[in-house]
Amino acid sequence: MVNLTIDGKQVTVSKAATIYEAALEAGIHIPVLCYAKKLLPYGACRVCLVEVEQMKGRLIPSCTTPVTQGMVVTTTSAEINKVRKTVLEFLLVNHVVECPVCDKGGECDLQDLTFEHEVYPNRFTGEKFALPTDEVNPLIERNMNRCVLCGKCARVCDEIVAFGSYSFINRGFESKIATAFDRGLNCEFCGQCVSMCPVGAILPRPFKFKARPWQLKEVDSVCGYCGNGCTVTLGVLKDKVETIRFNDKTGVNDGNLCIRGRFGYSYVNSEDRLTKPLVRKDGKLVQTDWKEALDTVVSGFAKARAEKGVGIVTGARLTNEELFLLKNLAKAMGTGNLDHSGGESYKGVTEGLFETLGVTASTATFPQVEECDTILSIRSDFYETHPVFGMVVNQAVKRHDAHLIVIADKRGKFGKLPHAETLLAKPGLEVNILNAMAQSLLADGLAITDGVEGVVELQAALADYTPELVAAQTGVPAAAIRAAAQQLAKAKKSAILLAYGLPYTAHSRELGIAAANLAILTGIPGREGSGLYLCGEKANSQGAIDLQIVPGKEALDSQSMFQAAAAGTLSALYIVGEDPLTSYPDRKKIETALDKVPFLVVQDIFLSPTAQQADVVLPAASFAEKDGTFTNAERRLQRVRQGIPLPGEAKTDYAIFELLAGRFGKQVSFTGPEAVFSQIAASTPGYGGIEYGAIGPQGVVWGGDLLAVKRRKVVAVAGGKPVETPYQLITGSSLYHNGTVSTRATGPLAVIPSPFVELGREDASTLQVKEGDLLTLRANGVEIKLAAKIDTRMPKGVLFAPYHFSSAGLNRIFTGQAAVPVEVSK
Amino acid sequence: MTDTPQVLFKNRRPGETAFLAEYQRSGGYEGLRKAVKMTPAEVRETVKESGLRGRGGAGFPTGLKWTFFPADQLGEKYLVCNGDEMEPGTYKDRELLLADPHQLIEGMLVAAYALQTPVAYVFIRYAYERCAQNLERAIAEARQAGFLGRDILGSGFACEIFVHRSAGRYICGEETALLNALEGLRANPRSKPPFPAVRGLFGKPTTVNNVETLANVQHIIAHGADWFRGLARTESGAGTKLYGLSGHLNQTPCLEAPIGITLRELIQEHGGGVWQGRKMKACLPGGASTPFMTAGQLDVPMDFDTIEKAGSRFGTGGVTVFDETTCMVEATLNLNNFFARESCGWCTPCRDGLPFVSWLLRQIETGKATMDDLQTLRDQLRNITGTSFCALAQGAVGPIESLLRLFGDEVEDHIKRGRCPLKS
Ligand SMILES: Cc1cc2nc3c(=O)[nH]c(=O)nc-3n(C[C@H](O)[C@H](O)[C@H](O)COP(=O)(O)O)c2cc1C
Ligand code: SF4
Ligand code: SF4
Ligand code: SF4
Ligand code: SF4
Ligand code: FES
């Protein structure tokens, strides 16, 4: 701690603080323009200059200067104000003052500072810039005539996003921010630069001329897309979500978002939303009222219950409270056939973790990863599945020189980070590599084995997984496998990241165990700052696991329900917030099941391909229309808040479940999410003692920052076998989408508008395909056609197609394999 | 030609370059031989005692700078030689490297030994291609002779020197911008702290020194700190200095002379006096970023403290002389245009302030200015002084401040007459 005096006030702050931060803590306002809490010190604008008695003769930038013991700081004086005012006058000389038509008006730092310092009239005049604006893409508009050269856009894109779109070009007065070759912006479109720009130089296009900032109602909530669980602030005008606001003060993600969180909100306002219940009459879905719809559902389920039973499959975008009510409803309906997210996607990994560690969740929290010295990412480049967690990894690597190792079947963004190493394996062989890493640690005596069960058995079982043998299978050099293992073993703080989700179902249990083995052998569980991260695909994937939305004893899981339905041994299916026809593996099986099942109820916000097959469709609520809690992939419970009313007659899943439970004789009369939550807290392991009202802006992490594991048991698991055909297809998430709902959001669609299959240059030239050509992929006698996307990410013989698009029909050939052997032709 | 001992220029012959054989004939690499028998700390201590001050413009005591460097800490660290030399009126490093590249190579090796840096870079201006080639040849020769590479002279110390040709801009000479440029980044200065000695090249401890500074080091080790101090004519000064003359003189040589020689000697004896029989009006004593001195100050000894007392800075020792027909407003405008153009664009006072100052000076020079404009100019100087991110803007202010201080009447004359009084 350091003591100093600011404007006569005694202040004690940490010695890492800058003068600006110290003043802020003491409630003293120093104006800033280029400073940003989450970026490295910069010191360019010179608005924040102050006087320091010990450094006379010049003015000191408060945003970059660390405090020292006994410092005496003056933050305002005639001299300082004059210099600040001059800086503003300079900035205003060339800045095109367009406040009346600039969307930033009302929350523009330059506007506010000009007002605060009464910069009028300007003593200086000069030429205004007349640079062309960049409006090439539909999401972000750049008008460099308004730029004040604070560098924040370039800094955030480099330091945090690690994309590096922008740089300054030219010198002196001609300096400006530009993209490579000064072309139109072409990037990840995460919008971080939009949120950081203090003026109206970078603006979100979908929000153009929509509202003045003060007209917007701000509602803090949680992004409805992925398990990263980013805090978002809905900007609401006239009952519509018009934008997602920048907010680095609340929440856990420092205001960082990915394209989905920032620009993916538009589906909420879509004209295609379901606003009335539908029932099938004479083979056609027609609108009806809730009474008829519920009557039909209740009698249909009652009948089914009396016959071969009902099955319930839900998605993981429902709140904890809704999931809890659904579980109650299942009880009321007397069925144990309950599952979520296609079952397979979470089942294997959680079982694996439970066997080894006795837990079914990440053992530490995201921010801790920034301080890790070694990070191992398995299967996915986290940008595709959990982009904002990926940004934490960026910062670990870029700011703290963390060592990053990626085990993957295609190259990704992580691999481009400084000193990052991608162990590029043939598809489906991640377990083999993890096994080899464990083998080498045990063989070299580097493993932590004290208090670990099963070591001898594991060591014996791993005889077939020496780095050399695995190198021959996977194509990853043995030395690289050993080096990676050693790197992990010697780290003081380390993290292992594993994503799961609908497109990643193969070897799921093996992968969970192999990752946990490695975590145990390198001492990760329970060690301060280290963690094994299990990252679910959807906003409340972890909540669904915590609340045990799983089949009861002897009951059917998701796969078995569809199997049973297809075989005619299940009488009704209730599908909530999922589109299995599009997103579950093996479309043929799902089609047959939906076709054969006598009674199908689908509850959704859109008339999805699955809903189109239903007997009754119940219109539900999006994340922006409900209250409750989500649990993200680091076990953080956060409040979801209603920002806008429900469209038409749509109801929340919460309300629907309550109504149905009543009809099944289990009248539940909760007063709202808070009351449900207290039941959840009382009955869910780890949630005990958490109060709904106490879940603040930072959320509450159940189990604490470091989750205590129940055991440390290493278990032998078999690796995969390589697919030997010349071409194999893998699937997964693409960065811009998540699940299927993002294919209805204009933001992600603006960048990835349609399905594609990605292949490497070498394969493209062998196959003589060009970008955009239709490629025919054939497997198990089924054929699909996809437009080719050619780049340098894919290894030879490996093709990638994202799974989000219904029209692609990818799940006609993808039935859950790690890699699909395919024949490819033009 | 001169009676002062020639240390750096002793092998200098018109149109020729001295390489290893010649360099060794005059005692070359004796400093290194001696240094590797001393401990690195002893070498550093000797340099500190010698009173050597940086020749790159700021005049920071070299020995003191080295005490900030974690020489004894293991791990990556770097020595970087600043050969960017783009300040108008400064060309001494070029002359040294054209004449005798081993001077720098040996100096760097001794410095690298003192600082225990296994890798050293010479960052050299793109326009100095001949110098770069000379250095590369000198490095090859030194390696052949066992002065460079692994286990230098059996001492166990290893050092490699690399020559980096800069894309070249004035700001690249600022030491932290130089480090960015060396890393392949845009040449913006970095925020200090952390200083390069803590976090420099590639984030590792780094010392940056000027070409001439480093070339003095082996001589200090070879002949001792006292000898070095004795070379200067002033009490507090130490060593000789390379002076590059330019401007309105009969001759414009670059020469080696003691620290403490007077301006008069430089101008009269070495420059052959002001050209065309005219009188001197002013001079820049140490490059374009130093305040003007006048004809009345010719007897000031050329040393850091003495020149500072006279209201200017010793800078790089590049002396530019202006004769009595020069319009000082125009000369200053010309200088400021350079700084405005070379501003890296990072901070507001420099990026936007310097062009505005140029505009004001142009208004004055063309007779369009009012007394209010003059007041604004004074005001601007205050606003730029001590507010910019790096020393470039600070340097730009020097000549303008001295213009107003020394030639105030001439400036006001422009305004009162509505034209330049020196042009008919
Ligand atoms: C704008 C600017 C340009 C500079 N250019 C040079 C240069 O070309 N060569 C140089 O040696 N030092 C230059 N310097 C000084 C360096 O920043 C640094 O002080 C010097 O290299 C240190 O070496 P020394 O201590 O040996 O003089 C420059 C400084 C500034 C602010
Ligand atoms: S949108 Fe994101 S990736 Fe694109 S330039 Fe802005 S910060 Fe960089
Ligand atoms: S575009 Fe905005 S964020 Fe980027 S430098 Fe300009 S003002 Fe700053
Ligand atoms: S999709 Fe995931 S990473 Fe992106 S903003 Fe939403 S929660 Fe964050
Ligand atoms: S003073 Fe000039 S050169 Fe230095 S950082 Fe600022 S703009 Fe760049
Ligand atoms: S906020 Fe400190 S210099 Fe810009």
Side-chain angles (χ1 to χ4, degrees), chain A residues 42-46 49 58-59 64 66 82-83 86-87 90-91 123-124 148-149 168-173 175, chain B residues 169 186 191 193 340-349 351-353 355-356 376 379-380 382-383 386-389:
Chain A
Y42 196 65
C45 74
R46 317 311 269 185
L49 297 173
R58 62 199 170 106
L59 295 176
T64 55
K82 201 161 126 221
V83 168
T86 309
V87 165
F90 280 141
L91 291 174
R123 288 175 295 158
F124 317 141
V148 292
L149 298 170
F168 283 93
I169 62 165
N170 305 336
R171 263 177 300 153
F173 190 63
S175 303
Chain B
R169 247 23 281 180
R186 185 177 158 88
S191 189
R341 190 189 76 204
E342 295 298 324
S343 156
C344 81
W346 182 276
C347 68
T348 319
R351 178 191 64 231
D352 291 346
F356 187 67
T376 311
D379 212 36
Q380 272 331 298
R382 268 219 301 285
N383 287 333
T387 62
S388 62
F389 186 81

Side-chain angles (χ1 to χ4, degrees), chain B residues 54-56 65 82 84-85 170 173-175 208-210 213 391:
Chain B
R55 306 298 197 226
K65 187 187 235 178
N82 188 343
D84 192 64
E85 196 166 71
Y170 179 49
E174 197 284 332
E175 58 181 5
V208 183
N209 277 121
N210 172 256
T213 313

Side-chain angles (χ1 to χ4, degrees), chain B residues 271-314:
Chain B
V274 178
W275 72 351
Q276 300 178 12
R278 291 184 191 154
K279 289 206 200 86
M280 172 181 141
K281 186 169 187 180
C283 78
L284 296 164
S289 64
T290 56
F292 292 113
M293 288 172 75
T294 59
Q297 297 174 305
L298 284 180
D299 291 315
V300 175
M302 295 291 277
D303 193 359
F304 295 97
D305 302 338
T306 45
I307 297 206
E308 198 159 323
K309 233 179 263 153
S312 186
R313 287 192 305 111
F314 189 33

Side-chain angles (χ1 to χ4, degrees), chain B residues 55 85 91-96 210 212 241-242 316:
Chain B
R55 306 298 197 226
E85 196 166 71
Y91 58 100
K92 59 177 180 88
D93 296 342
R94 178 187 71 196
E95 294 304 307
L96 177 62
N210 172 256
E212 186 189 344
K241 178 80 191 74
L242 304 182
T316 60

Side-chain angles (χ1 to χ4, degrees), chain A residues 520-581:
Chain A
I520 292 169
L521 295 176
T522 57
I524 287 178
R527 184 173 60 201
E528 196 62 44
S530 298
L532 170 62
Y533 293 84
L534 185 68
C535 296
E537 189 186 16
K538 301 285 169 62
N540 202 24
S541 290
Q542 189 59 42
I545 292 170
D546 295 342
L547 290 168
Q548 290 285 295
I549 306 302
V550 296
K553 276 208 178 66
E554 322 268 309
L556 304 177
D557 65 11
S558 172
Q559 286 236 31
S560 319
M561 284 186 242
F562 286 106
Q563 223 131 34
T569 55
L570 191 69
S571 301
L573 268 175
Y574 182 19
I575 299 176
V576 184
E578 285 273 78
D579 180 10
L581 214 43

